[in-house]
Amino acid sequence: GFIDIHSHSDWLLLEDGHAQGKIRQGVTTEVLGEGGSAGPFKGKAAARPVSVRNQATQIRTLGDYFTALERSGVSVNVASYVGAGNIWQCVMGSAFDRPSTAELQRMKDLVAEAMTDGAFGLSTALMMPPGSLATTDDLVELCRVVKQHGGIYSTHIRDEGLGVFDSVKQAIEIGERAGLPVDIIHLKIADEKYWGRMKEVVALIEAARSRGVNVQANVYPYTRGNNNLASIIPPWAHEGGTSQLVARLKDPAQRPRLKRDITQGLSGWYNHYTAVGGDWSRMLVSANNAYRGMTMDRVLALRSEGKTPKPDPLDLLFDLLIEHEGSVSTVYAHHTEADMNLALVQPWCSVGSDGS
């Protein structure tokens, strides 16, 4: 059968292990974990309650999750990375503090535990907190533990837009310094200003491979990306978790800074708003709410009806996020088929659904 090299079926498999949507397409193996994984949940991260065959249980480790899968019964084979986001939050919680030497060692111990539990390697999602808080050196240290267990490093790079070249270089550097293979998750150029430059990304990977670094990538075969309207909010506003994000969105004194950072961008931050040229019609609400299936230009028009003067669209965005507790799942139209196809034909590129 096919291997879905990048999947998000982690929790759905516990709800419906038949996985008909996958096996009827010939997929018999799913590879899970992108920054977040189905464990660990320890320390400052609360255990995750789940139901397995109508019995309540708690997931604290990745091993607990694998045990739960086996008890529940699933039709597909499952492999999972351990998410660096889980590791970070177990030790640091929702704070943006730098880890001490002791805290970094605790992270390394958690990585080792997950690898012993059967993790395929370490995965990161570096675009937003907590992943964005980790430095290159932090990730090299964690990956050295993964190397000891024969695992690999899989990464949603820090910036798939205007920082895509530096971000690919960072992924390569981590693999090279830690001495382990690298798989770049859903390789793309997701900013209209850089469309057409995939050949330069390919060249970076080819150069690394030519000097012995085992760098590969995966691609999903469509030109949209599912994320969240909250990803338009700059990273600093996420410190302290969702409750603090919502509090900042409610604070009128914070809104001018939020608007400035969204429209002008911040160094080192991949900004979905500027990546699509500020075009609300290229954002499609996929969340299960009253606006599901609508593009954001339609949502904003509906929420502006009867109001004079017309409200600032960003104020409407903030209010929408407040109403939905800081999270509205959204699909962005941010990359091109030409770039996607060039990546897909590379012999070191595999295919993943990025779905569930």
Side-chain angles (χ1 to χ4, degrees):
F2 296 120
I3 298 171
D4 186 347
I5 204 70
H6 177 57
S7 170
H8 288 278
S9 298
D10 312 56
W11 304 112
L12 285 177
L13 285 171
L14 289 176
E15 295 177 23
D16 180 8
H18 292 106
Q20 293 286 319
K22 291 296 178 73
I23 62 171
R24 289 186 181 277
Q25 298 181 77
V27 173
T28 57
T29 301
E30 299 200 56
V31 181
L32 312 174
E34 179 192 350
S37 57
F41 299 99
K42 304 173 76 171
K44 294 183 178 180
R48 173 120 180 191
V50 298
S51 177
V52 179
R53 294 188 178 273
N54 296 318
Q55 290 187 331
T57 188
Q58 301 278 325
I59 303 294
R60 293 182 174 84
T61 67
L62 196 57
D64 290 343
Y65 173 71
F66 291 143
T67 299
L69 280 182
E70 290 173 348
R71 282 179 52 207
S72 65
V74 292
S75 65
V76 289
N77 302 308
V78 173
S80 180
Y81 294 97
V82 60
N86 292 61
I87 299 295
W88 194 276
Q89 289 183 316
C90 284
V91 177
M92 305 302 296
S94 59
F96 278 27
D97 300 331
R98 287 289 305 146
S100 66
T101 301
E103 287 167 332
L104 185 60
Q105 182 58 52
R106 177 62 181 144
M107 292 185 197
K108 292 164 73 172
D109 292 342
L110 286 169
V111 171
E113 178 186 69
M115 294 301 297
T116 300
D117 282 346
F120 199 56
L122 179 74
S123 69
T124 59
L126 302 180
M127 187 183 78
M128 292 293 290
S132 59
L133 305 175
T135 66
T136 301
D137 288 344
D138 294 336
L139 296 172
V140 169
E141 285 298 305
L142 297 180
C143 281
R144 284 176 174 150
V145 177
V146 176
K147 158 77 170 177
Q148 293 169 7
H149 293 264
I152 75 173
Y153 174 58
S154 178
T155 179
H156 177 148
I157 57 176
R158 198 171 296 273
D159 188 340
E160 296 176 327
L162 302 184
V164 65
F165 304 124
D166 286 339
S167 297
V168 169
K169 289 175 184 176
Q170 181 192 39
I172 293 167
E173 179 185 347
I174 291 166
E176 195 161 17
R177 287 172 57 188
L180 80 174
V182 176
D183 189 40
I184 298 174
I185 295 172
H186 46 53
L187 185 66
K188 66 172 79 75
I189 295 180
D191 191 304
E192 61 182 16
K193 298 181 187 69
Y194 276 17
W195 284 351
R197 299 182 65 178
M198 179 58 75
K199 59 183 180 297
E200 297 171 58
V201 174
V202 169
L204 287 174
I205 294 173
E206 290 283 9
R209 289 173 62 83
S210 70
R211 63 176 185 266
V213 187
N214 185 356
V215 186
Q216 303 176 44
N218 63 70
V219 171
Y220 53 71
Y222 48 93
T223 58
R224 301 293 187 270
N226 192 71
N227 206 285
N228 201 292
L229 286 180
S231 69
I232 293 177
I233 308 303
W236 59 264
H238 293 259
E239 182 171 7
T242 303
S243 63
Q244 290 303 303
L245 168 65
V246 171
R248 293 183 183 103
L249 294 175
K250 289 179 177 178
D251 183 357
Q254 298 278 8
R255 291 200 173 190
R257 180 186 177 190
L258 288 165
K259 291 177 182 179
R260 182 180 65 249
D261 290 348
I262 291 167
T263 56
Q264 298 178 14
L266 292 171
S267 177
W269 171 46
Y270 173 69
N271 182 342
H272 268 118
Y273 179 81
T274 56
V276 298
D279 185 349
W280 296 105
S281 72
R282 289 163 59 188
M283 309 176 199
L284 178 78
V285 175
S286 56
N288 189 19
N289 61 38
Y291 303 112
R292 185 171 189 169
M294 294 186 189
T295 52
M296 276 298 293
D297 57 326
R298 292 180 60 201
V299 174
L300 297 174
L302 284 171
R303 294 176 70 92
S304 297
E305 282 183 357
K307 296 180 180 178
T308 304
K310 291 292 185 185
D312 185 330
L314 288 176
D315 283 319
L316 295 175
L317 167 71
F318 301 154
D319 293 341
L320 180 63
L321 282 168
I322 291 166
E323 289 173 18
H324 293 88
E325 301 179 340
S327 178
V328 178
S329 183
T330 303
V331 175
Y332 293 88
H334 53 26
H335 60 292
T336 70
E337 192 157 325
D339 282 334
M340 178 191 77
N341 287 339
L342 181 57
L344 275 170
V345 300
Q346 304 308 313
W348 38 259
C349 188
S350 57
V351 178
S353 69
D354 200 16
S356 56

